[in-house]
Amino acid sequence: MSKGANAPVPTAALRVELGWRSGPGVPDADASALLLATGKVRSDGDFVFYNQPAHASGAVHHEGKRTAGGQITDTLSVDLARVEGAIERIVLAASADGGTFGQVPGLYIEVTDTATGSVVVRFDSPGATAETAFVLGEFYRRQGGWKFRAVAQGYSSGLEGLATDFGITVDEPQHTAPPAAAAPAPASMPPVPATPPVPPPPATMPPPPTAPPAAVQAPAAQPVRLSKVTLTKAAPSVSLAKQGGTSGAMRVNLNWQVRKQLPGWSGRWGGGGGELDLDLCALYELADGRKGVVQALGNAFGSLHRPPYIHLDGDDRTGALAAGENLTVNLDHTLDFRRILVFVTIYEGARSFADLHATVTLQPQHGAPIDFSLDECTVASTVCALALLTNTGGDLLVRREARYLVPERGVSPQRTVDRAYGWGMNWTPGRK
């Protein structure tokens, strides 16, 4: 397609892929979508991106990145049949992180039909130069159906400028000046009590009228936070404390997608029996020396408010990209942790992680989210170590592992990851 061209698209489930070539000095890029009614979002919830990966309607999801063969892709899934009637357009955008789009070679956007895998539309090289955000295309309603238009509109103000242009309220860092020191009182001034005594009212004074109760106001909507931390091979570690993650709950999420049928896959992806079943798990070692595992196997779901202060939210057997698997870590008990290893196993549906793409996101209640993608699996692995959290002086250091392990014959995935990281636990067979 050329800039300004349009084409009809099926009112169906579509895959929107933003792609470019990797290389030295190439900045990262992120795909996003804005669902518009009369040219603006209805609320900040109509913005789908890495920090807000799913729309409430279920019509749009951000699925994450994949790197393979010198090519990087970031993907959105859009189900046009589920788009609410008030939404007239879905803007498909990209933002550059650490550079401009003029430094991003081979940039394109491609829309495929999820059911058939066939390419519906593709728009290559929109001619970017100094822009740090770009509207590549959009879906829009026309005569009871949907069409796609190649837009190629750039912004020099990045994702923040693009988002605010469509009505998003963006969270900006607040810099609060320290309180001024109180001036010392003159030596001759007598001390003043903190609360002056109040004389009692006369006995004949009528009681003061009772003030009506204050009206309860709904909490104000929180602005969208655009900051994030992406871990890579070159920069694999980050301090939670330096990102503001020192208290509250931290959600660890694993989302995945399958490009094509996996080796030994017993069913199809999504929507019924025989799907790929991945299990998010965590080995933990507490400061007092206690060790254990949190996993769906054996119903060892853990606990958030008592040891081990880690809880598995549930076992996602549907492959729903919007939900995935989730662990929650209670950062109010950071001092009780010595180390936590988050890993994933294949419970059933495949013999290895080959051709599986997954994104890991650690979302502290306070502070910037931390995410990373898994590398392409080239071995017969059924267990992958994702992230290692280590207590260093009261701060949890998060390190990207993304390490595929191959169990020996007759050795469970859990025992395999235990041996690789020296946990030293005794294992017995279990089942869901």
Side-chain angles (χ1 to χ4, degrees):
M1 297 184 74
S2 58
K3 180 178 178 179
N6 61 75
V9 294
T11 305
L14 302 173
R15 183 174 183 273
V16 180
E17 179 180 279
L18 171 73
W20 65 96
R21 294 194 302 274
S22 62
V26 176
D28 193 19
D30 297 289
S32 57
L34 298 107
L35 289 78
L36 308 182
T38 64
K40 298 282 186 179
V41 297
R42 299 166 300 177
S43 71
D44 291 346
D46 286 339
F47 184 28
V48 177
F49 70 121
Y50 48 77
N51 278 0
Q52 198 164 264
H55 191 261
S57 67
V60 183
H61 299 120
H62 179 258
E63 296 181 0
K65 291 191 176 72
R66 174 176 180 168
T67 302
Q71 190 80 7
I72 303 175
T73 58
D74 197 10
T75 305
L76 299 162
S77 64
V78 179
D79 189 345
L80 294 177
R82 299 182 67 177
V83 177
E84 298 157 294
I87 299 300
E88 300 167 352
R89 296 160 54 204
I90 302 175
V91 168
L92 306 169
S95 54
D97 186 5
T100 68
F101 276 108
Q103 302 168 279
V104 179
L107 182 66
Y108 70 88
I109 184 170
E110 183 177 270
V111 179
T112 59
D113 188 318
T114 303
T116 65
S118 60
V119 176
V120 179
V121 290
R122 180 180 171 111
F123 178 34
D124 287 275
S125 301
T129 54
E131 297 87 352
T132 51
F134 233 88
V135 174
L136 294 166
E138 65 180 10
F139 295 117
Y140 63 99
R141 295 185 189 269
R142 180 57 57 87
Q143 297 178 348
W146 286 91
K147 300 185 79 172
F148 174 87
R149 179 186 292 118
V151 177
Q153 176 187 350
Y155 292 76
S156 60
S157 50
L159 184 59
E160 180 177 352
L162 183 149
T164 54
D165 195 41
F166 288 103
I168 298 294
T169 304
V170 175
D171 185 17
E172 296 181 358
Q174 300 295 320
H175 303 285
T176 304
S188 60
M189 181 180 292
V192 179
T195 305
V198 179
T204 58
M205 181 180 292
T210 304
V216 178
Q217 296 183 350
Q222 296 299 310
V224 171
R225 169 170 280 180
L226 301 182
S227 59
K228 68 167 183 172
V229 177
T230 298
L231 302 181
T232 63
K233 287 182 179 179
S237 301
V238 68
S239 158
L240 269 184
K242 289 181 180 179
Q243 302 303 319
T246 57
S247 63
M250 178 176 71
R251 188 184 70 157
V252 183
N253 172 261
L254 175 72
N255 266 344
W256 63 87
Q257 66 181 112
V258 177
R259 290 278 193 165
K260 61 184 180 181
Q261 184 164 308
L262 294 171
W265 197 18
S266 60
R268 60 186 181 84
W269 179 247
E275 296 91 355
L276 177 66
D277 184 7
L278 302 184
D279 283 343
L280 188 63
C281 315
L283 284 170
Y284 64 83
E285 182 178 0
L286 300 182
D288 61 9
R290 283 179 289 176
K291 300 177 182 179
V293 64
V294 175
Q295 61 178 5
L297 198 65
N299 294 321
F301 288 94
S303 175
L304 198 59
H305 300 292
R306 62 177 186 270
Y309 309 112
I310 305 169
H311 182 250
L312 179 64
D313 296 356
D315 181 23
D316 178 14
R317 302 191 188 191
T318 67
L321 292 172
E325 293 261 322
N326 294 280
L327 278 166
T328 306
V329 179
N330 189 343
L331 296 182
D332 291 335
H333 289 271
T334 293
L335 295 179
D336 291 300
F337 298 123
R338 183 171 293 167
R339 56 177 178 159
I340 303 169
L341 180 68
V342 182
F343 65 100
V344 59
T345 68
I346 297 176
Y347 182 70
E348 62 182 12
R351 291 193 295 267
S352 83
F353 286 111
D355 222 16
L356 171 73
H357 165 56
T359 301
V360 181
T361 303
L362 293 84
Q363 177 66 72
Q365 186 173 341
H366 310 289
I370 300 163
D371 68 9
F372 61 89
S373 295
L374 298 186
D375 299 321
E376 190 171 1
C377 179
T378 58
V379 295
S381 170
T382 55
V383 57
C384 180
L386 301 176
L388 181 64
L389 287 70
T390 307
N391 192 325
T392 56
D395 176 23
L396 284 181
L397 184 71
V398 179
R399 190 178 77 194
R400 174 188 187 269
E401 296 294 306
R403 180 181 175 189
Y404 293 105
L405 301 171
V406 180
E408 297 177 2
R409 187 177 183 85
V411 178
S412 69
Q414 288 84 353
R415 190 185 297 269
T416 299
V417 76
D418 180 321
R419 290 178 179 176
Y421 287 86
W423 233 263
M425 291 173 54
N426 295 317
W427 296 91
T428 56
R431 60 181 301 172
K432 294 184 184 180

